[in-house]
DNA sequence: GGTTTGACCCTAA
DNA sequence: ATTAGGGCCAAAC
């Protein structure tokens, strides 16, 4: 049985290019609906060589809330924009437009 | 093994 | 639109 962290990584790896998910959404998919902060914690501690697409995870209001450390909000904005996601200068995204919904089909 | 720590979330101004 | 406060809980100390 996979533990929480392993589920989180697996789920984030499954977010397609050009789509986003919220921390709480990932937590719920991993089986712990109120553990949103843990998802951020896991991403925060990914090692340098990690291929996990952490930039596709934002908060549930559609805002980039990464802590300014190894990567900055600007880094995340650039990565999302390079995949076609429109990010406003105040770091807002139309989450209803870009949210990853596994059970629905993408046209 | 108890305590601290957050890349959150929701509600209410 | 933005801010404040309380709740939350897996991991790291």
């Amino acid at each position: 049985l996979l533990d929480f962290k392993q589920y989180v990584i697996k789920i984030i790896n499954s977010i397609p290019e050009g789509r986003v998910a919220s921390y709480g959404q990932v937590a719920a998919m991993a089986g712990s609906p109120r553990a949103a902060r843990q998802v951020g914690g896991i991403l925060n501690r990914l090692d340098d060589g990690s291929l996990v697409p952490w930039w596709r995870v934002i908060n549930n209001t559609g805002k980039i809330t990464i802590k300014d450390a190894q990567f900055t909000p600007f880094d995340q904005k650039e990565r999302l924009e390079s995949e076609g996601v429109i990010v406003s200068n105040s770091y807002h995204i139309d989450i209803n437009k870009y949210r990853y919904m596994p059970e629905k089909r993408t046209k």
Side-chain angles (χ1 to χ4, degrees):
Chain A
L1 186 62
L2 297 173
D3 64 19
F4 181 75
K5 179 168 158 188
Q6 293 173 311
Y7 268 122
V8 166
I9 298 301
K10 186 173 184 142
I11 290 161
I12 295 175
N13 275 330
S14 76
I15 304 173
E17 210 180 297
R19 311 305 299 267
V20 300
S22 75
Y23 298 95
Q25 180 187 348
V26 172
M29 290 171 172
S32 191
R34 276 155 278 167
R37 306 185 77 167
Q38 283 57 247
V39 174
I42 288 165
L43 294 184
N44 183 38
R45 299 185 301 269
L46 287 175
D47 28 283
D48 298 11
S50 173
L51 300 177
V52 178
W54 54 265
W55 58 91
R56 297 179 187 147
V57 186
I58 61 180
N59 83 6
N60 203 39
T61 70
K63 180 141 195 221
I64 287 174
T65 54
I66 184 175
K67 180 196 267 185
D68 197 340
Q70 180 151 79
F71 292 101
T72 68
F74 184 74
D75 292 328
Q76 185 167 8
K77 182 175 188 281
E78 282 196 316
R79 285 173 185 247
L80 285 170
E81 287 173 337
S82 78
E83 302 185 343
V85 176
I86 295 172
V87 183
S88 79
N89 32 4
S90 57
Y91 295 90
H92 274 295
I93 292 155
D94 183 349
I95 193 163
N96 292 317
K97 177 176 179 184
Y98 295 108
R99 191 194 290 275
Y100 172 47
M101 304 254 197
E103 56 259 34
K104 316 252 170 185
R105 200 169 345 140
T106 309
K107 204 170 346 165

